Amino acid sequence: MVEFPELFQVPLAEWVDAVMSWVLTNWGAAFDAVGDVILFALLRVEWLLLWLPWVVVVVGVGVVAWRAMRRWVAGLLMAGFLVLIGSFGHWDLAMMTLAIIFAAVMISLAIGIPTGIVMARSNSVEAIIRPVLDAMQTMPSFVYLIPALMLFGLGKVPAVFATIIYAVPPVIRLTNVGIRQVPSSVVEAARAFGSSSRQILFEVQLPLAVPSIMVGINQTTMMALAMVVIASMIGAKGLGMEVLLAINRIQIGKGFEAGLCIVLLAILIDRVTHALAARQEYAVTS
Amino acid sequence: MQNNTPTPNGGVCVEVRELWKVFGANAEQLLRSDRRSATKESILEETGCVVALRDLSFEVQRGEFFVIMGLSGSGKSTLIRCVLRLVEPTAGRILINGEDVCAYDEAQLMELRRHTTSMVFQQFGLFPHRSVLDNVAYGLKVRGVEKEERYARAREVIGKVGLREWESYPPSALSGGMQQRVGIARALATEPEILLMDEPFSGLDPLIRRQMQDELVELQAEVQKTIVFVTHDLHEALKLGGRIAIMRDGEIIQIGTPEEVITAPGDAYVREFVQDASPAKVLTAGTIMEQPNVLLYEWQGPKAALHILKTTGLDNVFLVARRGRLLGLVTVDRLAELIKKKGTSVKQALEPDMLTCTTDMIVEDLFPLAASTTYPIAVVDDKGKFVGEIHISTVLSTMIQKKEEEQEEREEKEEKEAMKADG
Ligand SMILES: Nc1ncnc2c1ncn2[C@@H]1O[C@H](COP(=O)(O)OP(=O)(O)O)[C@@H](O)[C@H]1O
Ligand SMILES: [Mg+2]
């Protein structure tokens, strides 16, 4: 009774394989299409970031950071981070990582914001989606690598796919919350003046949800960055893979360098999107 | 000044027939059963449904100032929202200009809300992310009016409510009273036929509230809308209402003019409501005052003044300075004397016994004043500006209503005591 009985075995692996092969034969075209969209977005962003001269990127990021945080010191610091990354010889890898984050965040927003809107407008949809989001956020991130691998194999596309799945919950959640916390008295007033539900959404609910959505975008971006590092395990080239290789070869210094680059990117992205989110609170249109 | 009579310029504007609103599951089923006649409490206990409106029927005339009054929770907000179907009625009919709103589809409803009606809310319901100008222009925007046209119209209305310098600020930069002015301007910008106002002044402090009431009365005299106005404040209802509907627990207890409501309360509930509100105690100088036919200005000569008095057949008239500041009362006799003495300034013909009071003075307190003079009493605001006059007869007639009530009460008491003595 020490060892688990060999007779009692659940062949789950075989079942999953069977399901997957069924999915791939019957839905293959759909996943190919999804893969194509992801690849298209990714390659465009990657091409652009690698094509741009580094000076342009550094100055551009510096200016955006300065405008967003309203302090030129901050802009200078953020530009300095990028220069430091370049000085480690990791410029191209950093741009590849940024490209994956960018593509994944864009697609996440394209999926997440409409989903959040639908969720906010229907209690039953919310009741279905909310537990799914809760479950997604409690799972460890590398779990998402498995379906990505199964559907898309190794490479960049599954990396972006896994990143999207991992990073999309905050923006859905905060779009939903942002719309729902618009005071009902304001929505009622809009209704009383004959707004269509479209007008209520675009004139009142979404503008008032913008601060919340911006926080969602910030969180989604940060989660995308975290996932990109892990996604290097399934073949996404970039800083994450550099860390992974350095660990495998026990090259502590190189690993440290690449890791520091990731940290610098994280601070950069977080501060800029955070500042952009905070600024929304005070915006009044006229 | 007051607008207590419905302007008879044509027919029924809003008609409510046997309207029910029940919140909760199976509301319709409840209405089909005969339990519908049970009390609100027992229905809530049995079924969990809240009967907010019970079998209401009334009409609002075009151009009328119709006030719905009742305590908190009596269903006023629900009623006014049902008219626009912001809350769906459970049963009954609502006709606006003869058309059944309950039969409208979504597009027709939007059309109605865009063109025929406007609403003002207790919590203002302003758009916090928009400037005052964009708030006021909102109704025109959803209607699809071009930017320039809607801004021009919005600016016009903003000017009317006195917020010209504030148009580019967000509502949060404004005080409560100013925010509600924005709410009113937003409602007026679409030039609606019907204005629905749900306790628009309840959140404001008393001084601002009174001022806004006065402005609303003036505005109504100017624009002549059909107004349905909700309040829980009897004084406000009496001041503004052409007719008042009194609600309790989702039912209308009484509909009548302010005078009718006060002098002939429909039942014990209404009587309790208006108990402290015998006219003399409720009405203020501001509400019973009248506008004089003629005023004299200090720069007018004595002869011109006498001529004005003679041609209008008056014995006396109030004299005001620049900006309407009250100087005193001029009588025909004193004027004639002055002219005989070849005086040059009308100010030399002032009657020393003139009395003044402020707009918020209670009529009851005016009584001793009224008894001591034969001239009208001048009403001034807190800056000394002349705003109206009160005739002794008005004070007396309001007082007499009170005396009659007291008389009745005394008689009732005496009867009871007599019966006790007998028994
Ligand atoms: N959405 C709702 N669901 C359930 N009950 C409601 C709802 N709205 C109002 N009520 C109930 O209907 C009654 C009338 O409310 P309301 O019209 O707001 O009164 P008022 O405006 O006179 O204070 C109250 O008993 C209230 O609790
Ligand atoms: Mg209410």
Side-chain angles (χ1 to χ4, degrees), chain A residues 183 185-197 199-200 202-204 207-208 283-286, chain B residues 81 84-86 110 113-114 118-119 121 125-131 134 138-139 141-142 170 186-187:
Chain A
S185 62
V186 174
V187 174
E188 183 178 50
R191 220 148 74 82
F193 279 92
S195 313
S196 61
S197 54
Q199 282 168 328
I200 291 176
F202 286 106
E203 300 281 345
V204 178
L208 286 174
V284 170
T285 63
S286 179
Chain B
R81 278 165 176 74
L84 280 191
R85 279 185 52 200
L86 292 170
M110 262 158 55
R113 293 171 186 163
R114 284 179 185 179
S118 275
M119 192 149 170
F121 301 86
L126 300 177
F127 306 120
H129 60 300
R130 294 248 156 98
S131 65
D134 277 313
Y138 184 81
K141 184 175 188 185
V142 292
R186 178 175 65 176

Side-chain angles (χ1 to χ4, degrees), chain B residues 190-245:
Chain B
T190 57
E191 297 185 307
E193 245 181 275
I194 304 166
L195 204 53
L196 304 167
M197 309 179 93
D198 187 6
E199 306 207 25
F201 306 145
S202 295
L204 309 177
D205 63 68
L207 212 71
I208 306 287
R209 191 187 312 164
R210 195 174 319 135
Q211 191 185 339
M212 300 277 288
Q213 289 164 353
D214 293 343
E215 283 170 26
L216 183 62
V217 169
E218 257 166 59
L219 195 81
Q220 165 67 351
E222 189 186 326
V223 295
Q224 288 295 326
K225 307 276 180 216
T226 305
I227 298 182
V228 180
F229 186 103
V230 165
T231 180
H232 66 256
D233 176 2
L234 178 68
H235 292 225
E236 191 166 72
L238 293 174
K239 177 171 180 178
L240 299 173
R243 280 192 306 150
I244 302 172

Side-chain angles (χ1 to χ4, degrees), chain B residues 71-78 80-81 122-123 198-199 230 232:
Chain B
L71 297 175
S72 172
S74 56
K76 309 177 299 288
S77 297
T78 307
I80 204 170
R81 278 165 176 74
Q122 181 178 357
Q123 303 88 347
D198 187 6
E199 306 207 25
V230 165
H232 66 256

Side-chain angles (χ1 to χ4, degrees), chain B residues 337-357:
Chain B
E337 216 172 294
L338 180 70
I339 293 168
K340 237 184 263 164
K341 285 194 279 182
K342 301 225 181 326
T344 51
S345 167
V346 280
K347 279 201 264 187
Q348 291 160 320
L350 289 185
E351 164 63 47
D353 281 338
M354 181 206 53
L355 295 172
T356 62
C357 69

